[in-house]
């Protein structure tokens, strides 16, 4: 009777084995899509950090090269001298003498209060800004392992549905394997009808001429391409040079 075990090489790559710590092919495709969704966020973060550094550089240049300091000094002295000893002279000295003034003014000012005072971000602040995106990328890499529990949880709560799913998968694999063998037979038949190339003839001649070269010039399985091992089976037809691994044979 036809059975499903052991799985063929092509069938193994389409399944997810929960106990395997390596990220497998179906999970890898989903993980790559999730990582691609993080690229717009990464580009936006790089744009914002670059814009922040650019604005800080512009404001820093303005602060260092636009500083202007003003210094203003002035002196004012007014003195009225009235000569004489008459009554009128005394009266003028009393009234006009009050106008005598003397003062010095010194003013120093600058535009420091009008200049920008930029403060650049530190490395720690940049790191704290990038940490959420890094955590998101790590979650995209690690989410494949919690996702493996979905089938277990669904099987626990819906055992009948799980049995139906397993039966459907079993019949699906049987149909796929039957179609696979049919297609591979046709491919091998077409390949056998084609004349061998010059490289193939040279390789066969070298293998027959020097048997010790077989370790270096190893052939592969005609169906799955697995490198030659002692368990491979050659085709019993004398004119056929095809080689098959144990599962394909």
């Amino acid at each position: 009777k036809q059975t499903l075990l052991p799985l063929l090489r092509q069938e193994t790559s389409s399944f997810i084995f929960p106990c395997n710590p390596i990220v497998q092919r179906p999970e890898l495709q989903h993980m790559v899509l999730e990582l691609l969704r993080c690229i717009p966020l990464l580009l936006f973060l790089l744009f914002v950090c670059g814009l922040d550094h650019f604005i800080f550089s512009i404001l820093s240049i303005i602060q260092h090269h636009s500083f202007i300091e003003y210094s203003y000094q002035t002196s004012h002295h007014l003195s009225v001298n009235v000569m004489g000893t008459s009554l009128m002279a005394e009266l003028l000295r009393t009234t006009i003498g009050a106008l005598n003034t003397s003062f010095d003014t010194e003013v120093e000012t600058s535009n420091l209060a009008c200049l920008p005072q930029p403060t650049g971000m530190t490395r720690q602040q940049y790191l704290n800004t990038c940490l959420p995106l890094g955590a998101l990328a790590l979650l995209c890499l690690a989410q494949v392992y919690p996702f493996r529990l979905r089938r277990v949880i669904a099987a626990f709560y819906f055992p009948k549905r799980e049995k139906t799913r397993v039966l459907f998968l079993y019949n699906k694999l049987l149909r796929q394997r039957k179609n696979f063998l049919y297609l591979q037979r046709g491919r091998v038949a077409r390949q056998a009808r084609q004349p061998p190339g010059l490289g193939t003839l040279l390789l066969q001649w070298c293998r027959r001429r020097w048997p010790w070269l077989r370790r270096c010039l190893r052939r592969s399985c005609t169906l799955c391409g697995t490198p030659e091992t002692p368990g491979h089976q050659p085709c019993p037809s004398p004119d056929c040079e095809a080689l098959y691994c144990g599962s394909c044979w």
Side-chain angles (χ1 to χ4, degrees), residues 23-24 26-42 131-148 150:
V23 179
Q24 299 164 51
E27 298 172 327
L28 185 62
Q29 298 176 354
H30 183 72
M31 184 181 66
V32 170
L33 291 177
E34 293 294 334
L35 290 177
L36 290 177
R37 294 177 182 176
C38 297
I39 293 180
L41 295 177
L42 177 61
L131 276 179
L133 185 60
L136 180 61
L138 290 178
L139 287 177
C140 293
L141 297 176
Q143 69 177 355
V144 296
Y145 301 105
F147 280 178
R148 294 180 182 179
R150 293 180 297 181

Side-chain angles (χ1 to χ4, degrees), residues 101-159:
T101 58
S102 177
F103 62 87
D104 296 326
T105 303
E106 184 176 354
V107 178
E108 291 184 0
T109 183
S110 65
N111 63 343
L112 183 62
C114 302
L115 292 177
Q117 305 292 330
T119 302
M121 292 179 61
T122 62
R123 291 184 178 180
Q124 185 64 33
Q125 291 174 334
Y126 279 115
L127 182 61
N128 294 336
T129 305
C130 298
L131 276 179
L133 185 60
L136 180 61
L138 290 178
L139 287 177
C140 293
L141 297 176
Q143 69 177 355
V144 296
Y145 301 105
F147 280 178
R148 294 180 182 179
L149 300 176
R150 293 180 297 181
R151 191 200 62 83
V152 179
I153 297 174
F156 177 78
Y157 287 101
F158 305 99

